[in-house]
Amino acid sequence: MAKTAFALNLPPEKAIKWLEDQGVSIQNRREMSPEDAAKVITVARISNLDMMQNIKTALVDSAKNGTPFAQFKKDILSHMQAAGWVHKDENGQPEIIDPDTGEVFGSPRRLENIYRTNMQAAFSASRYQSLMQNTHSRPYWQYSSVNDYRTRPAHAAMSGLVYRYDDPFWSTFYPPNGYRCRCTVTALADRDIQRRGLIVSESTAENLIDSESTSKSGQTYITKAYRAPDGTLVKTDKGFDYHVGKINYRPNLDEYDRKLAQQFAKADMTGAEFKTSLQRLQKEIKQAKKQQENGEQSAAGKSTGHSMKFAAGMLSDENQQLLQSSRASVWLSDDTLIKQIKNVAGQDADNFYQELPEVINMPDMIFKGKNNTFSLIRKTKAGHMLAIIRQMGKSKEIQVKSYQAISDSELVALQKKWQQLK
């Protein structure tokens, strides 16, 4: 990854904004996909919209005012009591019960999970952006757990580990890694590594592996596991094997110097995060196809992405005007990667996407198609490469819809079919 600071000038209110932008869900976090879990405040089993909104509002107010949990709990319980949600059980202990459905939500103690899990996720996402702001001077991150009697053994096993910020390790183990997780990440410079005699680890097939786990309901699922030096496998809690900050973070490249943003795109297309995501998707699709062939219930044909996207390149100023686009940045989603894996021959090669930023930035030819799509073609050592991009509706974001090598005959057919702009 290029050692470039993409300074975002993030204010402390970034965590508050993250909370304000979140949706709400009654689904259990353990049952949610990573992309959904990263974008909602989880309030499992509460189906009353007014009460969910009250909880979200209280979380946002707590973040703004620095309200401790005790006050948050008091405020929420007063709302619930006024709405007739709090009743005594047979032992005289308070229980939260939905008066519309009669469903028992649980004791007020469960409010602490809601508070701590969502607040930690908010500030974790905010801190990630701050850390990314300084990767040029502090490119190494150290996992830090509290290491007291409440620390999970799995989290204690990772305490002190140091990886570069772009190592695949952080895609799974950037905290929080479970309910009430208190772990953090500390950024370090080269001089810190040398002065403290720290070892910078690197993810390999031996220490960051795919591992099968079983949920409480008996269902099996595959997750990433860290193999500790003693051979034990360390995993996150179910539903926390994703990176809340990374899923929510991507710099607005249109706000930066174009050449600098193009370097970011080149780094994204060759970085460890992109390669790891591509390999993960390849494995998931291969497994889904195998299940389908065996007659098992399968997700083959459905998206298995995690709502991540990668910087694919920047349009030159000249070509941006040619396309009459309000944006220059072009993005590659993992949904497109899924389609690529299924339909495009030869794209498994590690260097297949290496030329994509140049195809976007300096195409030899540009053709205009239907529905705001454009075909960009550049001759490379591997032959003519075609990137089909499209400007999306209201967001105006430009996305790569397809990327592949084309033959001379296919190029001739394209010239006959579409309007050539360049």
Side-chain angles (χ1 to χ4, degrees):
M1 185 73 80
K3 293 185 177 180
T4 307
F6 287 82
L8 303 182
N9 298 318
L10 295 173
E13 289 78 14
K14 196 66 180 179
I16 299 170
K17 180 65 164 57
W18 184 91
L19 279 170
E20 290 177 332
D21 289 344
Q22 298 302 80
V24 290
S25 174
I26 64 172
Q27 193 173 2
N28 191 308
R29 177 180 291 271
R30 293 189 179 96
E31 300 169 349
M32 301 175 73
S33 64
E35 65 270 25
D36 290 336
K39 296 175 180 178
V40 297
I41 291 173
T42 54
V43 189
R45 300 210 313 271
I46 289 187
S47 56
N48 184 288
L49 292 177
D50 289 337
M51 194 54 65
M52 286 199 295
Q53 187 58 48
N54 285 336
I55 291 173
K56 175 181 175 178
T57 299
L59 284 168
V60 173
D61 289 344
S62 295
K64 288 180 178 178
N65 303 321
T67 305
F69 168 68
Q71 185 62 45
F72 167 84
K73 177 181 176 181
K74 181 179 178 181
D75 293 341
I76 285 296
L77 283 178
S78 67
H79 279 296
M80 290 184 168
Q81 286 173 338
W85 278 62
V86 180
H87 301 268
K88 297 288 182 67
D89 64 13
E90 57 185 14
N91 297 316
Q93 297 300 314
E95 279 190 326
I96 302 172
I97 301 176
D98 186 334
D100 295 330
T101 65
E103 185 173 13
V104 178
F105 173 59
S107 75
R109 288 194 300 272
R110 292 197 64 240
L111 292 172
E112 187 169 3
N113 260 352
I114 295 173
Y115 177 86
R116 300 201 185 284
T117 298
N118 289 291
M119 294 293 280
Q120 176 73 351
F123 284 96
S124 179
S126 173
R127 177 157 176 74
Y128 174 72
Q129 297 184 36
S130 298
L131 291 172
M132 287 297 293
Q133 184 179 346
N134 294 306
T135 53
H136 66 300
S137 60
R138 293 179 174 272
Y140 306 107
W141 292 354
Q142 184 175 42
Y143 192 99
S144 177
S145 64
V146 179
N147 288 330
D148 60 11
Y149 72 96
R150 292 169 53 196
T151 302
R152 299 166 176 81
H155 298 193
M158 293 186 289
S159 191
L161 290 178
V162 179
Y163 287 89
R164 267 183 59 93
Y165 71 95
D166 55 354
D167 191 277
F169 173 84
W170 299 113
S171 293
T172 298
F173 292 104
Y174 187 92
N177 288 314
Y179 287 108
R180 303 192 188 188
C181 173
R182 298 168 293 155
C183 298
T184 58
V185 169
T186 302
L188 303 171
D190 286 306
R191 63 179 180 275
D192 299 318
I193 300 295
Q194 296 172 6
R195 186 180 72 251
R196 294 164 57 181
L198 297 173
I199 297 175
V200 178
S201 301
E202 184 176 349
S203 291
T204 66
E206 285 70 42
N207 63 17
L208 190 63
I209 66 171
D210 288 326
S211 178
E212 187 175 89
S213 298
T214 304
S215 65
K216 291 182 179 180
S217 62
Q219 293 182 326
T220 59
Y221 62 97
I222 302 297
T223 187
K224 284 291 182 184
Y226 162 71
R227 191 188 297 278
D230 63 2
T232 58
L233 295 181
V234 176
K235 305 175 186 179
T236 69
D237 288 3
K238 178 71 170 69
F240 284 86
D241 56 343
Y242 69 95
H243 187 334
V244 63
K246 189 175 290 185
I247 288 179
N248 285 279
Y249 167 80
R250 260 315 183 250
N252 183 353
L253 295 183
D254 288 289
E255 294 181 354
Y256 298 96
D257 175 82
R258 201 169 304 229
K259 291 182 179 179
L260 198 61
Q262 176 69 1
Q263 290 302 314
F264 182 94
K266 288 182 178 180
D268 231 13
M269 286 292 98
T270 57
E273 178 187 348
F274 175 76
K275 290 182 179 179
T276 300
S277 296
L278 181 60
Q279 291 169 2
R280 173 182 58 79
L281 292 172
Q282 289 168 346
K283 287 181 180 179
E284 289 179 356
I285 292 171
K286 184 177 180 180
Q287 183 181 32
K289 287 182 178 178
K290 186 176 181 180
Q291 289 176 337
Q292 193 176 51
E293 290 170 359
N294 294 335
E296 301 175 20
Q297 187 174 2
S298 169
K302 297 181 180 179
S303 170
T304 55
H306 288 186
S307 288
M308 295 187 69
K309 63 181 182 180
F310 304 90
M314 297 290 294
L315 296 172
S316 67
D317 183 64
E318 176 188 352
N319 291 335
Q320 182 183 356
Q321 294 181 34
L322 197 62
L323 271 58
Q324 298 182 350
S325 170
S326 59
R327 298 194 181 190
S329 59
V330 182
W331 299 88
L332 175 63
S333 71
D334 54 3
D335 279 340
T336 293
L337 282 176
I338 291 167
K339 296 175 183 176
Q340 290 277 122
I341 293 168
K342 293 178 179 178
N343 302 320
V344 180
Q347 69 89 53
D348 291 346
D350 288 342
N351 61 355
F352 183 79
Y353 292 93
Q354 187 172 335
E355 297 289 341
L356 179 56
E358 293 300 318
V359 174
I360 292 171
N361 186 248
M362 295 187 297
D364 298 320
M365 291 173 276
I366 299 177
F367 297 89
K368 183 178 181 180
K370 296 180 179 179
N371 301 321
N372 292 321
T373 60
F374 298 88
S375 297
L376 280 53
I377 298 174
R378 178 176 172 82
K379 188 174 183 180
T380 69
K381 293 179 181 179
H384 286 106
M385 299 302 296
L386 164 67
I388 298 177
I389 63 174
R390 181 183 179 190
Q391 188 167 59
M392 311 303 291
K394 293 181 179 179
S395 69
K396 301 300 181 182
E397 180 176 281
I398 306 175
Q399 295 184 5
V400 176
K401 307 310 292 184
S402 178
Y403 178 59
Q404 59 188 315
I406 60 170
S407 65
D408 290 340
S409 60
E410 288 173 322
L411 176 57
V412 171
L414 197 64
Q415 289 173 316
K416 293 179 178 179
K417 184 177 182 180
W418 302 117
Q419 176 189 359
Q420 186 166 354
L421 302 180
K422 179 180 179 181

